[in-house]
Amino acid sequence: MDNCLFCKIARGEIPSSKVYEDETVFAFNDIDPQAPVHILIIPKEHIKSAAEINESNSAVVAHIFETAAKIAKDKGLDDGFRIVSNCGDSAGQSVKHLHFHLLSGRDFTWPPG
Ligand code: AMP
Ligand code: ZN
């Protein structure tokens, strides 16, 4: 997608604070962190949101969760972490490229607001 912010970040056309990258996923620090650790993990492929996950593209989602576990281990997030994907306007999705927030370093409330 030519005009997608996260596609541009994944292609390196817009700078980001990269945490991890491989052939299919890209992870970077959120520009407006909501916790001491706030990393976004995205597929390099443009998928609009969790509502667009299907049989043909779901393998990358499994790989994103493997990546989250790897990052959590590497960063020693032993006290716990939260993974969130906002889907659609009512959930507060502001960037229409599938992304998973990996949050850690503080306590989180439940249910979320
Ligand atoms: P959401 O609101 O769930 O769609 O999440 C989008 C996230 O992207 C927000 O937490 C923003 O702070 C973050 N964000 C927006 N632009 C950038 C950027 N250029 N680099 C890093 N994070 C960004
Ligand atoms: Zn995109």
Side-chain angles (χ1 to χ4, degrees):
M1 285 279 286
D2 291 348
N3 234 353
C4 170
L5 173 64
F6 284 180
C7 281
K8 287 181 179 171
I9 286 177
R11 290 195 295 259
E13 294 168 13
I14 288 178
S16 68
S17 169
K18 184 166 86 174
V19 173
Y20 176 85
E21 179 178 14
D22 63 25
E23 314 79 60
T24 55
V25 308
F26 194 89
F28 55 104
N29 288 305
D30 196 292
I31 204 166
D32 181 22
Q34 302 302 312
V37 175
H38 188 170
I39 295 165
L40 299 174
I41 311 174
I42 67 172
K44 288 188 168 176
E45 172 190 0
H46 183 82
I47 300 170
K48 264 193 267 176
S49 75
E52 306 278 316
I53 297 168
N54 56 46
E55 253 181 11
S56 72
N57 63 20
S58 59
V60 74
V61 179
H63 188 52
I64 283 171
F65 276 80
E66 290 169 14
T67 301
K70 182 177 159 49
I71 292 170
K73 196 172 176 199
D74 289 350
K75 293 199 172 290
L77 310 181
D78 303 324
D79 283 347
F81 55 87
R82 180 170 286 182
I83 296 175
V84 176
S85 185
N86 298 318
C87 177
D89 292 335
S90 70
Q93 183 183 6
S94 61
V95 179
K96 303 299 195 261
H97 178 125
L98 178 65
H99 52 281
F100 293 83
H101 300 256
L102 172 60
L103 300 144
S104 187
R106 66 169 173 84
D107 291 337
F108 299 99
T109 57
W110 190 263

